[in-house]
Amino acid sequence: MLTVERLNQTYGPKQVLFDVDMAAGEGEILVVMGGSGGGKTTLLKCISGLVPIKSGDVLAEGVSVRTSPVEARAKMGMVFQYAALFDYLNVHDNILFGLRRRRKLSAKEGDRIVSEQLESVGLEGTGNLMPSELSGGMKKRVGLARALAMEPKILLYDEPTSGLDPVTAFAIDGLIKETRDRTKATSFVVSHDVNSALRLADRIAFLHKGKVVFFGSPQEFRTSKVEPILELVQKASAVAL
Ligand SMILES: Nc1ncnc2c1ncn2[C@@H]1O[C@H](COP(=O)(O)OP(=O)(O)O)[C@@H](O)[C@H]1O
Ligand SMILES: [Mg+2]
């Protein structure tokens, strides 16, 4: 369960999030959409504790990011936009990186976790490869495996399909759903890809100029008359043509 409560965020004098409220229940996929500059990345940074929150709060499984940042962060796993793998580490060591910082791991246990997580993302036997040997889609899969190794209750995905061709994007969306079904993790996905959002979401929130202008089901999103949503959907269909 992830709850964002009356969150306000500023950069210097500029306010970029205004009383943002939203919630994703256990095992739910919440997709946060919005055009460029809407505040999606800022929201994700606040949730993951990468920047201090100005006012309001984020609760991860009921734990406040404001007052208990370390404990709250331990509930969450982040899948970065460009996977953010360490170039000098092979896939095996990338996957274990966070876990090794948290606790001691025997070689055997490490091997078991890596092979389990690589299997769950469809990349069996790639532990010895270096990031430079991976395609864009494979990098995203390794990024997910690395987050999953920490067994988070909440998964945060930053633009999981950006920079991917449509076929790979479709496969990654499938993987996000499979992962949710298997782990029952609450999933928070930031995306500006309308098609991907409609495939994935149980709930959609739409951020425009730092405000939530829509929160509802994909069905309600499809028929929404909210101006910035109409604009984004129109742009998306223009690209699809
Ligand atoms: N580090 C920063 N310093 C100042 N302004 C920023 C910074 N990061 C983002 N902004 C501004 O905050 C607003 C929201 O940006 P962002 O959260 O990146 O939106 P999105 O991810 O939806 O494109 C934009 O107007 C952007 O220019
Ligand atoms: Mg962004």
Side-chain angles (χ1 to χ4, degrees):
M1 173 94 191
L2 180 70
T3 316
V4 178
E5 288 177 350
R6 297 189 65 94
L7 183 68
N8 288 279
Q9 192 62 356
T10 52
Y11 290 113
K14 187 180 173 188
Q15 185 158 1
V16 293
L17 292 176
F18 298 84
D19 281 338
V20 169
D21 277 309
M22 60 180 72
E26 188 180 341
E28 226 177 36
I29 300 180
L30 170 63
V31 178
V32 177
M33 298 202 68
S36 179
K40 304 183 295 298
T41 298
T42 302
L43 175 60
L44 202 58
K45 282 181 179 167
C46 291
I47 290 173
S48 59
L50 285 174
V51 298
I53 291 170
K54 179 88 178 168
S55 78
D57 206 351
V58 174
L59 304 176
E61 303 290 302
V63 179
S64 161
V65 169
R66 257 174 101 88
T67 58
S68 314
V70 175
E71 202 191 328
R73 247 180 273 148
K75 312 261 181 215
M76 298 187 270
M78 177 90 166
V79 184
F80 293 95
Q81 181 165 3
Y82 298 108
L85 302 177
F86 299 107
D87 289 335
Y88 57 90
L89 296 178
N90 67 14
V91 167
H92 177 281
D93 290 336
N94 262 290
I95 290 174
L96 294 180
F97 187 84
L99 211 51
R100 281 174 171 153
R101 290 178 54 163
R102 188 184 285 177
R103 63 184 170 90
K104 267 217 146 3
L105 275 181
S106 69
K108 202 172 149 199
E109 191 189 358
D111 287 346
R112 180 185 58 74
I113 291 169
V114 168
S115 71
E116 208 175 278
Q117 294 310 337
L118 282 178
E119 192 189 332
S120 74
V121 299
L123 285 181
E124 296 90 336
T126 57
N128 290 323
L129 296 182
M130 297 305 285
S132 59
E133 299 175 273
L134 306 175
S135 68
M138 288 167 87
K139 281 184 190 161
K140 299 244 181 185
R141 286 171 190 266
V142 174
L144 175 57
R146 181 174 62 184
L148 288 171
M150 314 282 282
E151 302 185 344
K153 291 279 196 193
I154 299 166
L155 277 167
L156 310 173
Y157 295 90
D158 191 9
E159 301 276 4
T161 59
S162 81
L164 299 179
D165 64 84
V167 174
T168 309
F170 190 83
I172 293 293
D173 284 341
L175 182 61
I176 292 172
K177 279 199 152 176
E178 262 171 53
T179 301
R180 182 274 307 273
D181 294 345
R182 190 168 45 81
T183 63
K184 307 283 183 289
T186 300
S187 306
F188 182 93
V189 182
V190 164
S191 177
H192 64 261
D193 179 341
V194 179
N195 294 314
S196 165
L198 290 172
R199 278 200 293 267
L200 276 178
D202 297 307
R203 286 265 174 280
I204 296 178
F206 197 96
L207 269 182
H208 182 64
K209 296 186 177 163
K211 293 184 178 143
V212 178
V213 293
F214 172 89
F215 187 79
S217 67
Q219 188 52 40
E220 289 163 332
F221 183 83
R222 276 196 187 88
T223 55
S224 164
K225 297 283 180 286
V226 176
E227 191 54 42
I229 295 181
L230 291 174
E231 237 170 71
L232 193 77
V233 170
Q234 223 164 32
K235 252 192 236 160
S237 35
V239 171
L241 292 170

